[in-house]
């Protein structure tokens, strides 16, 4: 879902108090641990550094989406994405997905490490 907001705090205020907000807040906490600047881009939360946007995060109707340029560049063998519904650049966390039972933190760390070393994770 897209929210007509201008700031991350407005975005968070617009979210329904349900499982999607809980999952989004868990993922947001992980991303903020990397000291990215949080903003709004394309009506979604975005996480960037001086080189540009690395991740975007959005609550959809049936899942919470974490966008990264090309997930296969971050996790070529797919080991870190096991248990996560995903496409080329979108990781989808449904109501029944327990973040604790996935390797999402390792995936994000791998993406950040590649990004900071100048590696290509774009689509």
């Amino acid at each position: 879902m897209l929210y007509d907001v201008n700031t991350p705090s407005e975005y968070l205020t617009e979210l329904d108090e349900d499982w999607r907000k809980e999952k989004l807040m868990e993922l947001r906490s992980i991303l903020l641990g990397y000291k990215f600047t949080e903003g709004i881009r394309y009506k979604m939360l975005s996480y960037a550094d001086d080189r540009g946007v690395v991740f975007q995060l959005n609550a959809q109707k049936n899942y919470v989406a974490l966008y990264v340029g090309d997930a296969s560049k971050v996790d070529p063998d797919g080991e870190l994405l096991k248990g996560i519904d995903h496409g080329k650049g979108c990781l989808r966390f449904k109501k029944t997905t327990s973040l604790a039972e996935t390797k999402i933190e390792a995936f994000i760390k791998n993406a950040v490490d590649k990004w900071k070393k100048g590696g290509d994770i774009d689509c």
Side-chain angles (χ1 to χ4, degrees), residues 8 11-12 24-25 27-41 44-58 65-67 112 115:
Y11 181 95
L12 297 173
L24 183 135
M25 295 302 281
L27 290 165
R28 178 178 181 255
S29 177
I30 295 167
L31 296 170
L32 289 174
Y34 288 98
K35 308 296 185 216
F36 287 118
T37 301
E38 184 178 52
I40 296 292
R41 185 169 177 178
M44 295 182 270
L45 293 172
S46 66
Y47 300 87
D49 65 9
D50 59 341
R51 291 181 44 212
V53 174
V54 185
F55 299 101
Q56 288 188 255
L57 188 58
N58 194 36
L66 176 65
Y67 297 95
V112 171
W115 177 261

Side-chain angles (χ1 to χ4, degrees), residues 65-113:
L66 176 65
Y67 297 95
V68 61
D70 186 340
S72 67
K73 290 181 180 178
V74 176
D75 182 26
D77 62 5
E79 193 63 34
L80 301 176
L81 292 172
K82 284 186 180 175
I84 300 172
D85 180 22
H86 65 281
K88 181 178 180 181
C90 177
L91 284 57
R92 294 175 287 271
F93 299 89
K94 297 180 181 175
K95 185 175 186 175
T96 57
T97 306
S98 168
L99 295 179
E101 294 176 10
T102 69
K103 296 180 180 177
I104 189 58
E105 289 190 54
F107 177 88
I108 291 171
K109 181 182 182 321
N110 199 28
V112 171
D113 289 347

